[in-house]
Amino acid sequence: MATRQEKEQRAEAAARQAADDLRDVDRGRLYDERVVYKEELDQSPQQQQQRPGVFGTVLRAVVDKRHEAEDFTREGTDLAAENTRETKDEAAERAKEYKDNTTVKEK
């Protein structure tokens, strides 16, 4: 049978071993938390770069409006050019008819 002193020594050894194991587990947990935190920090700037801020959003809206205005102006210019061509063609046709009528009257 073990003496009380032997039991205490075994209990202390077991407690030291448990404390050492617990310390190793805590170190591993702290290391894992630091790695995860570092990874989150490393990814944060990338996420911020992907999302535009207030100025980026406003700038995009202004640029989009500018492009819309350019498209609208271009469409208006194209329409005006088409109307001018049609008017010119109609005027040329009328002039030809007038010339023909004048030629017929002269004969």
Side-chain angles (χ1 to χ4, degrees):
M1 201 167 180
T3 64
R4 180 177 175 171
Q5 188 177 11
E6 290 173 344
K7 288 181 182 179
E8 284 179 6
Q9 288 175 351
R10 281 188 293 202
E12 286 177 4
R16 271 194 298 273
Q17 182 65 39
D20 289 343
D21 291 345
L22 185 58
R23 186 177 55 241
D24 292 342
V25 168
D26 285 342
R27 282 183 185 164
R29 184 179 303 140
L30 286 174
Y31 176 78
D32 291 342
E33 289 174 359
R34 287 180 185 157
V35 168
V36 169
Y37 183 71
K38 184 178 182 314
E39 289 173 356
E40 289 174 357
L41 284 177
D42 290 343
Q43 292 175 358
S44 293
Q46 293 172 355
Q47 292 173 351
Q48 289 176 354
Q49 290 175 356
Q50 292 174 354
R51 295 183 299 165
V54 173
F55 293 117
T57 303
V58 170
L59 182 61
R60 182 180 301 144
V62 169
V63 169
D64 289 346
K65 290 292 182 182
R66 179 174 168 233
H67 287 299
E68 288 176 15
E70 287 175 355
D71 291 343
F72 182 74
T73 303
R74 187 175 304 115
E75 289 172 6
T77 304
D78 292 345
L79 182 60
E82 181 64 29
N83 287 341
T84 302
R85 278 191 290 275
E86 289 175 4
T87 304
K88 181 183 131 201
D89 292 344
E90 288 175 9
E93 191 174 313
R94 285 185 190 160
K96 183 180 177 187
E97 288 175 8
Y98 182 73
K99 179 182 174 188
D100 290 343
N101 286 339
T102 306
T103 307
V104 170
K105 287 182 183 179
E106 289 178 358
K107 290 184 181 178

